[in-house]
């Protein structure tokens, strides 16, 4: 079963005044997140990631289309007991201490006092905030707020976790911790749906990704499949001891040639002409340094797809 | 109901930790102190002046809390974006709004109670008698405060904090002038003006109905029937505003 189903979702912000133009922020977005997977939701600033997530949680009303979470429509309040949500750059009640804060959210999720008291130390440990448990949130740094936000999203041990840019504001160690935390959630059988515009985060942990650009889904699927489908497998050949005229034959076959002193880098669009090029180089007396088949990256797809529309 | 109490409890704690309340209580202390001072300066009317100033101070402080904290209830949650994490929980928006209202209601009650006890203490200290009418007056002050809170909450569900404060304050002032409004309407030359003012008279809450401070200060009891009617009127009006607030909040985008 799918944990999240989004069908033909459209969101138009109505302007304050009738003479202003309505802004269509999402158009015809469809995606599904399978149970037990980590789904990365990629998109540039202003692509509509936050808007989509807010619609999922019923904070915004969709103009058109359907949304289902764990088999219920977004308007169903009860199903949110099984969902954890971390909003973008979260702000919290700054007069509460970390412990009181988690206790409040635990109660809101309908947990009893005993369970809450048991969960709080575990969660604080998990987001490395045990030392700060008695500190008021207004004395927290940005990264600490992000962490306590994560703890808040997990207090009721939800089946589905929706995180809006969970790594933003964190240092490299913090980012790694969050990545590990997300992977840990998957190991427990939870579903994680998170947004980001940092591709390496996605590449490292996601099972599947969706790329959103200007409110439209551009690509959706497993990273390897996307990379295979969308990027050419180019080959990079590095060779020493060949210059200018020697490369005449090679030039016709290569996509690009970069020359720096003795060394030159030849980029081929695929394996097809590799043998010919190698033969030509050998004939010209070059010393082969390396041949690297280059696999396309998600970043290339992202940049290519999003800039094509620009 | 349980969730409602959770929200109410948190609102209570938030406001208690906000220093603004202590300032207001201090203000009440000063006013009551001043009434004692003024009372000693005048001969004969002392008891009345202590009562007058005391009730006025309690009323003023309670209404200021109602307006300014009341508006912050929802607007602060939206501006600080804490509302995202709250509403993403298994709680309905109606539960949220009512929980907020109840939390502040609790605060206001505790505050009025504290001020009233201080006030009674002042009366005893100055060697005057405590009249039953003072309790009646404070009860209606509480009703007025609950009504003003509902106004503040209603406006803040669809406008910014500054705008809500202005509108609440405006409605509060008009609410105290409704009887004048009717008088002006009857005297006005233009039909349109008369219709508009009469409509305003019926729409705006009649807050003067909840004000029996003058009579109470001189120790005259108010009829029970009037007390009950005024209370019911105030609470009913507050209920209508709360319903409106819930309906609007329900439809809002965040
Ligand atoms: N209340 C609103 N009224 C009108 N337009 C809005 C409103 N909120 C957001 N938008 C617009 O919707 C678009 C998408 O915003 P959204 O916050 O969903 O982007 P995002 O993908 O989360 O971006 P980021 O990576 O910067 O967080 C933006 O162009 C934004 O200007
Ligand atoms: Mg965003």
């Amino acid at each position: 079963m799918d944990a999240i189903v989004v069908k033909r979702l459209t969101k138009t912000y109505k302007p304050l005044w009738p003479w202003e133009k309505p802004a269509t922020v999402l158009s015809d977005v469809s995606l599904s997140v399978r149970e037990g997977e980590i789904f990365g939701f990629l998109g540039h600033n202003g692509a509509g990631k936050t808007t989509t997530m807010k619609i999922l949680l019923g904070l915004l009303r969709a103009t058109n289309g359907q949304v289902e979470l764990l088999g219920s429509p977004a308007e169903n309040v009860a199903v949110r007991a099984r969902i954890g949500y971390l909003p973008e750059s979260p702000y919290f009640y700054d007069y509460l201490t970390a412990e009181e804060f988690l206790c409040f959210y635990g109660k809101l999720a309908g947990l009893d006092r005993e369970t809450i008291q048991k969960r709080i130390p575990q969660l604080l440990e998990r987001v490395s905030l045990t030392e700060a448990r008695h500190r008021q949130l207004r004395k927290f740094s940005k990264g600490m707020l992000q962490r306590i936000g994560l703890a808040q999203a997990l207090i009721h041990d939800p089946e589905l976790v929706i995180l809006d840019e969970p790594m933003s504001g964190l240092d490299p160690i913090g980012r790694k911790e969050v990545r590990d935390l997300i992977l840990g959630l998957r190991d427990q059988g939870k579903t994680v749906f998170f947004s980001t515009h940092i591709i390496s985060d996605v590449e490292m942990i996601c099972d599947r990704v969706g790329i959103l650009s200007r409110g439209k889904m551009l690509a959706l699927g497993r990273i390897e499949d996307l990379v295979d489908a969308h990027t050419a497998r180019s080959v990079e050949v590095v060779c020493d001891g060949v210059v200018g005229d020697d490369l005449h034959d090679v030039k016709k076959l290569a996509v690009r040639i970069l020359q720096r002193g003795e060394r030159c880098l030849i980029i081929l669009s695929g394996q097809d002409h590799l043998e010919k090029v190698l033969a030509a180089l050998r004939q010209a007396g070059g010393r082969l340094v390396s041949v690297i088949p280059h696999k396309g990256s998600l970043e290339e797809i992202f940049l290519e797809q999003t800039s094509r529309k620009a | 109901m349980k969730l409602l109490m959770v929200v109410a409890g948190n609102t209570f704690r938030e406001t208690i930790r906000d220093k603004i309340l202590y300032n207001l209580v201090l203000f009440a202390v000063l006013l009551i102190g001043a009434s004692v001072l003024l009372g000693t300066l005048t001969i004969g009317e002392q008891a009345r002046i202590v009562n007058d100033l005391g009730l006025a101070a309690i009323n003023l402080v309670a209404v200021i809390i109602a307006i300014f904290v009341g508006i912050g209830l929802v607007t602060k949650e939206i501006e600080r974006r804490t509302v995202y994490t709250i509403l993403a929980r298994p709680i309905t928006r109606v539960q949220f709004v009512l929980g907020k209202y109840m939390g502040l209601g609790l605060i206001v009650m505790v505050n009025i109670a504290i001020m009233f006890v201080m006030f009674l203490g002042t009366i005893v200290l100055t060697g005057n008698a405590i009249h039953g009418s003072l309790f009646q007056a404070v009860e209606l002050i509480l009703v007025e405060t609950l009504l003003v809170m509902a106004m503040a909450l209603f406006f803040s569900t669809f406008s910014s904090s500054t705008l809500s404060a202005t509108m609440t304050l405006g409605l509060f002032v008009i609410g105290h002038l409704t009887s004048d409004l009717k008088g002006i309407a009857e005297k006005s030359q233009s039909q349109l003006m008369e219709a508009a003012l009469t409509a305003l008279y019926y729409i705006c809450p009649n807050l003067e109905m909840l004000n029996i401070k003058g009579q109470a200060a001189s120790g005259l009891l108010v009829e029970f029937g009037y007390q009950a009617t005024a209370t019911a009127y105030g609470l009913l009006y507050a209920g209508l505003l709360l319903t409106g607030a819930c309906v609007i909040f329900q439809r809002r985008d965040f």
Side-chain angles (χ1 to χ4, degrees), chain A residues 11 61 93 95 105 152, chain B residues 17 77 85 89 250 253:
Chain A
K11 174 71 189 175
R61 303 234 179 311
Y93 300 97
Y95 52 90
Y105 279 85
Q152 161 277 135
Chain B
R17 288 194 186 169
E77 297 261 357
T85 39
R89 298 276 156 182
Q250 191 81 41
D253 266 359

Side-chain angles (χ1 to χ4, degrees), chain A:
Chain A
M1 203 185 83
D2 288 333
I4 299 178
V5 180
V6 174
K7 268 191 216 139
R8 316 208 59 169
L9 184 66
T10 299
K11 174 71 189 175
T12 305
Y13 280 110
K14 280 206 212 82
L16 199 55
W17 306 106
W19 55 85
E20 282 173 39
K21 246 176 65 185
T24 298
V25 172
L26 294 176
S27 47
D28 220 3
V29 170
S30 298
L31 64 89
S32 61
V33 177
R34 294 179 194 143
E35 230 163 57
E37 77 175 355
I38 302 176
F39 188 97
F41 198 28
L42 261 173
H44 56 81
N45 288 129
K49 305 182 292 292
T50 301
T51 306
T52 309
M53 291 188 159
K54 281 188 183 171
I55 292 173
L56 285 176
L57 287 143
L59 296 169
L60 289 176
R61 303 234 179 311
T63 313
N64 244 316
Q66 278 128 41
V67 167
E68 244 175 51
L69 292 128
L70 303 173
S72 325
E75 298 79 47
N76 183 344
V77 174
V79 77
R80 292 188 208 143
R82 294 152 65 200
I83 300 169
Y85 171 54
L86 170 71
E88 181 173 36
S89 41
Y91 281 78
F92 297 117
Y93 300 97
D94 32 4
Y95 52 90
L96 294 180
T97 67
E99 272 186 351
E100 288 169 340
F101 171 79
L102 290 180
C103 185
F104 174 51
Y105 279 85
K107 283 188 201 155
L108 277 179
L111 298 184
D112 59 67
R113 192 171 300 251
E114 234 171 273
T115 318
I116 294 174
Q117 291 311 331
K118 213 174 64 208
R119 295 273 303 161
I120 287 177
Q122 293 170 0
L123 274 170
L124 286 173
E125 180 71 46
R126 206 153 157 196
V127 294
S128 329
L129 283 177
T130 307
E131 260 101 87
R133 65 184 179 279
H134 295 307
R135 211 178 300 170
Q136 285 194 350
L137 296 193
R138 62 193 162 88
K139 294 174 192 151
F140 270 36
S141 74
K142 190 177 169 206
M144 289 164 84
L145 281 175
Q146 193 75 23
R147 287 159 204 251
I148 196 78
L150 271 166
Q152 161 277 135
L154 302 176
I155 183 88
H156 50 307
D157 199 22
E159 288 162 49
L160 168 63
V161 186
I162 298 178
L163 309 170
D164 201 348
E165 299 193 18
M167 283 98 163
S168 81
L170 295 178
D171 56 28
I173 300 166
R175 304 180 80 83
K176 171 149 186 354
E177 281 173 357
V178 171
R179 280 199 301 267
D180 291 346
L181 194 141
I182 292 177
L183 287 169
L185 286 171
R186 181 179 58 187
D187 293 343
Q188 290 172 28
K190 318 281 185 202
T191 310
V192 182
F193 178 58
F194 78 98
S195 78
T196 181
H197 40 237
I198 296 164
I199 295 154
S200 60
D201 289 340
V202 171
E203 277 179 324
M204 268 184 259
I205 58 175
C206 287
D207 299 309
R208 290 196 313 142
V209 295
I211 300 179
L212 190 71
S213 171
R214 289 154 196 260
K216 293 197 173 72
M217 285 302 285
L218 292 185
L220 183 80
R222 280 161 32 98
I223 297 177
E224 300 88 83
D225 296 346
L226 286 182
V227 168
D228 282 350
H230 288 275
T231 57
R233 289 173 172 274
S234 59
V235 180
E236 289 180 9
V237 179
V238 180
C239 184
D240 277 350
V242 279
V243 277
D245 299 342
D246 301 340
L247 294 168
H248 189 72
D249 292 339
V250 178
K251 257 182 191 146
K252 284 182 239 157
L253 304 169
V255 179
R256 209 147 65 115
I257 296 181
L258 297 172
Q259 183 104 39
R260 184 167 298 146
E262 272 273 277
R263 177 162 292 191
C264 75
L265 168 69
I266 301 154
I267 300 171
L268 304 174
S269 63
Q271 307 265 351
D272 301 356
H273 303 301
L274 183 61
E275 285 310 320
K276 268 192 223 161
V277 169
L278 291 181
L281 288 174
R282 234 173 269 128
Q283 207 161 32
R287 291 182 304 281
L288 201 61
V289 177
S290 66
V291 178
I292 302 169
H294 184 74
K295 201 163 166 274
S297 72
L298 198 56
E299 178 159 13
E300 283 168 36
I301 302 176
F302 182 65
L303 290 177
E304 189 217 0
Q305 295 272 334
T306 48
S307 63
R308 193 192 296 165
K309 300 275 160 159

Side-chain angles (χ1 to χ4, degrees), chain B residues 28-64:
Chain B
V29 173
L30 283 179
L31 261 178
I32 293 175
S35 76
V36 177
L37 212 70
L38 269 174
T40 51
L41 292 178
T42 41
I43 312 144
E45 283 280 275
Q46 198 204 34
R48 208 200 135 84
I49 287 178
V50 172
N51 287 351
D52 261 339
L53 279 172
L55 287 176
I58 293 175
N59 200 347
L60 189 68
V61 171
V63 166
I64 289 176

